[in-house]
Amino acid sequence: PEASLDALESSTTATELSEKLCGAKPEKPLFLFLGSQDPKIIRDVQFVQQGTMRDERVALGAKFFNLIQINGDQIGKDHALAKMIGGKSLPRAVLISRDGEVVRKLEGKISATRLFSAMSDIVKNDCKRDLGKFTSDMRKVLNDLEEIARDKQNLERKTA
């Protein structure tokens, strides 16, 4: 979902922002994706969104986060959150732990590998889970499900 301007304007800390966007006690860390409507930047935003979110590890690991999109154009240098989620370039990914500490910022052309590494660090520290093992285990489950579906199709063909 896209973050409301009201939540951004009235938040001065990551904890306040997290509470307003996700509830009183967020159960997951925040993954803020700051994009832009600037035509010069929008191609980079689309590249990051299409390239990184199509990566299976990133897509599977995203279940551990509250994913929020923010129009980065709304975060000026004078904004209360500028120091925390601001940066030098867009697009930008800001990963924030449940306790409100900004853990990792990635800017510009964000690769799936760098993003997954940042996600893994936060999940390990914040959720006490190994994201690499989780995505590997999920890939095995998905492979098993695909094999079952193939076996079912073959059985249906034989009995038809």
Side-chain angles (χ1 to χ4, degrees):
E2 180 115 2
S4 75
L5 187 55
D6 292 341
L8 294 176
E9 289 297 329
S10 61
S11 299
T12 57
T13 67
T15 302
E16 283 181 7
L17 180 63
S18 185
E19 288 173 356
K20 288 180 180 171
L21 294 174
C22 305
K25 285 194 173 187
E27 296 178 12
K28 300 177 181 181
L30 279 178
F31 179 143
L32 304 178
F33 181 78
L34 287 80
S36 175
Q37 297 302 315
D38 183 334
K40 297 174 186 172
I41 298 172
I42 203 146
R43 195 174 319 152
D44 288 340
V45 171
Q46 291 170 342
F47 171 80
V48 170
Q49 287 176 325
Q50 293 170 0
T52 60
M53 293 312 280
R54 286 190 182 163
D55 182 279
E56 185 174 73
R57 298 169 308 147
V58 171
L60 289 171
K63 84 172 249 20
F64 286 94
F65 293 85
N66 286 314
L67 301 169
I68 307 291
Q69 287 190 340
I70 297 174
N71 181 348
D73 300 328
Q74 297 174 337
I75 309 295
K77 292 179 182 179
D78 296 331
H79 192 282
L81 295 173
K83 185 175 180 182
M84 182 184 358
I85 66 173
K88 295 178 182 174
S89 65
L90 294 172
R92 181 178 318 117
V94 181
L95 295 101
I96 303 174
S97 62
R98 288 180 287 180
D99 64 5
E101 178 183 336
V102 176
V103 177
R104 211 70 176 297
K105 282 186 196 181
L106 303 170
E107 297 183 89
K109 295 195 178 192
I110 303 166
S111 71
T113 300
R114 285 180 52 221
L115 180 56
F116 185 74
S117 176
M119 292 168 69
S120 294
D121 289 347
I122 290 178
V123 169
K124 182 177 182 179
N125 291 323
D126 208 44
C127 305
K128 310 300 184 226
R129 298 279 306 266
D130 181 337
L131 195 55
K133 181 172 178 6
F134 170 80
T135 57
S136 176
D137 290 348
M138 285 303 298
R139 172 48 28 217
K140 290 175 187 172
V141 169
L142 293 171
N143 287 343
D144 289 346
L145 290 172
E146 289 169 359
E147 187 176 333
I148 290 169
R150 280 192 303 275
D151 290 348
K152 180 182 174 196
Q153 281 181 334
N154 289 337
L155 186 59
E156 287 172 349
R157 267 190 257 139
K158 288 180 183 177
T159 58

